Amino acid sequence: MSDEEDISGPPPSARGRRQSVCAEPFNPNSIEDEDTPKVVHPKTDEQRARLQTALKRLFLFKRLDMEQTSEVMDAMFERKVPKDEKVIEQGDDGDNFYVIDSGTFDIYVNDNNVGSYTEQGSFGELALMYNTPRAASIVATSDAAIWGLDRGSFRRILLVAAFKKRKMYEEFLETVPMLSSLERYERMTLADGLYSEKFEDGVTIISQGDEAEKFYLVERGEVSIRMRKDDDVKEVAYLKKGGYFGELALVTKRARAASAYAVGDVTLACLDVGAFERLLGPCMDIMKRNFQSYEEELVKIFGTSLNLTDARE
């Protein structure tokens, strides 16, 4: 079952069901951090460590910076769920977003079992984003532990963060020459798939010979691309804001052809391999045309071709 499924329930302190609300459009600009009370549920070091581990598995939290992640962790509460307890009921209004810490759950739609969760996952975000009723019921099939985030904190922290991040990435993507052929809606979709990673000066971002997992765009800072041939290591490219790398291995389905190193502190916009293949189809011809120029440049540097464009099916 997908992390995007909308299945959630009330916090343990609730005494009754939340009354039905009308769907309200969410305007991120209408929420100001300083005017919204911040919720804090105290936690032990052990609880915080477990929560941090659970959050790392979820794509939704990759968009958050360290301060926002800390605020989410402060606002979340732990709930112990005994086996056979129905956590939420299909058709109820949504009060919380949930992250699974441990345990297993079955998911029911119209009394039909449609899937399950095993030890990890999240649910409940769609009802909080769009104010729609719960799409399913969820029942614990073992003793379990889940982390809850109330509706107000979810909308204030996660939705505002996602909105601001999308706007930032849309503006950034407009500066990348390779992406100039994309329509605006394609750039918006691409922006939704990106997340930031930061690297300190001298850190190896990718290593030659490694399996390819991501495509990178330089948001801030500079990146040195170096290639090793036999015992000879040379810089083959130097990238600044708007530059990109990592596409060669993803398109050809080969190991990394070069290593990348951070020059100074660097922030990169990252796209996982699945999203790369799904979202950058319109740019594939441009990238493939660039491969020939890569080969020509390497002949100048090393004196021989390295067969970079020998794509495997």
Side-chain angles (χ1 to χ4, degrees):
M1 196 69 179
S2 166
D3 287 349
E4 304 300 321
E5 284 296 330
D6 175 39
I7 311 158
S8 185
S13 59
R15 297 301 181 190
R17 297 295 183 188
R18 185 168 174 266
Q19 295 301 308
S20 180
V21 295
C22 296
E24 59 195 74
F26 176 67
N27 178 9
N29 291 323
S30 69
I31 295 182
E32 296 295 337
D33 290 348
E34 60 269 22
D35 296 333
T36 306
K38 291 180 171 59
V39 177
V40 177
H41 293 280
K43 298 173 184 67
T44 64
D45 290 344
E46 184 271 338
Q47 285 179 307
R48 205 166 183 86
R50 283 193 290 111
L51 176 55
Q52 188 170 34
T53 298
L55 296 184
K56 283 182 178 179
R57 304 174 185 140
L58 304 177
F59 176 81
L60 184 62
F61 293 90
K62 288 184 178 181
R63 292 182 174 277
L64 303 183
D65 58 31
M66 291 180 62
E67 182 178 349
Q68 290 166 332
T69 300
S70 179
E71 189 174 351
V72 167
M73 292 178 67
D74 286 342
M76 297 190 84
F77 58 87
E78 185 174 18
R79 176 179 173 184
K80 300 294 186 181
V81 181
K83 182 181 178 181
D84 297 325
E85 179 175 317
K86 181 176 283 188
V87 180
I88 61 101
E89 184 82 35
Q90 183 178 354
D92 284 350
D93 292 318
D95 287 343
N96 297 288
F97 166 68
Y98 279 117
V99 174
I100 297 171
D101 185 15
S102 63
T104 57
F105 302 85
D106 277 344
I107 304 161
Y108 294 89
V109 174
N110 300 325
D111 296 323
N112 296 313
N113 189 319
V114 297
S116 62
Y117 292 103
T118 302
E119 301 295 337
Q120 63 181 13
S122 64
F123 43 82
E125 64 270 29
L126 296 185
L128 303 187
M129 291 169 67
Y130 303 114
N131 279 334
T132 55
R134 297 303 186 191
S137 298
I138 183 166
V139 178
T141 55
S142 70
D143 290 341
I146 53 180
W147 296 97
L149 182 67
D150 69 273
R151 177 177 177 272
S153 296
F154 177 90
R155 288 165 71 86
R156 178 176 57 80
I157 304 170
L158 290 172
L159 293 192
V160 170
F163 176 81
K164 291 180 177 177
K165 187 74 75 174
R166 173 192 269 190
K167 293 295 290 183
M168 181 197 75
Y169 277 136
E170 280 188 68
E171 292 172 0
F172 167 65
L173 292 175
E174 289 177 354
T175 70
V176 179
M178 181 190 71
L179 305 178
S180 61
S181 63
L182 295 182
E183 299 291 342
R184 183 172 184 271
Y185 79 89
E186 291 174 319
R187 280 198 299 272
M188 288 174 63
T189 303
L190 178 57
D192 284 339
L194 293 170
Y195 59 93
S196 294
E197 288 188 357
K198 296 183 178 182
F199 299 87
E200 296 180 349
D201 181 39
V203 168
T204 303
I205 301 167
I206 59 174
S207 296
Q208 185 172 340
D210 283 356
E211 183 179 350
E213 297 178 344
K214 300 175 186 176
F215 168 69
Y216 300 91
L217 293 152
V218 183
E219 282 187 55
R220 283 185 290 274
E222 300 174 354
V223 175
S224 172
I225 308 297
R226 304 171 199 169
M227 180 175 286
R228 181 187 67 255
K229 186 176 186 296
D230 299 325
D231 294 327
D232 193 9
V233 178
K234 293 183 178 179
E235 182 174 84
V236 295
Y238 194 86
L239 307 176
K240 298 184 178 181
K241 180 178 178 179
Y244 61 91
F245 62 97
E247 81 286 6
L248 180 63
L250 295 178
V251 173
T252 63
K253 296 179 171 43
R254 302 179 70 177
R256 294 293 192 192
S259 299
Y261 301 90
V263 180
D265 292 338
V266 173
T267 302
L268 301 176
C270 307
L271 194 66
D272 291 331
V273 58
F276 173 86
E277 294 172 346
R278 186 174 69 253
L279 300 176
L280 283 182
C283 300
M284 204 63 69
D285 288 341
I286 297 174
M287 288 186 280
K288 288 180 178 179
R289 285 200 298 271
N290 288 340
F291 293 170
Q292 184 59 40
S293 65
Y294 295 166
E295 290 275 17
E296 292 170 357
E297 189 64 26
L298 291 175
V299 170
K300 295 177 184 177
I301 295 173
F302 289 104
T304 182
S305 171
L306 300 181
N307 296 318
L308 295 180
T309 57
D310 180 21
R312 292 201 306 251
E313 295 298 330

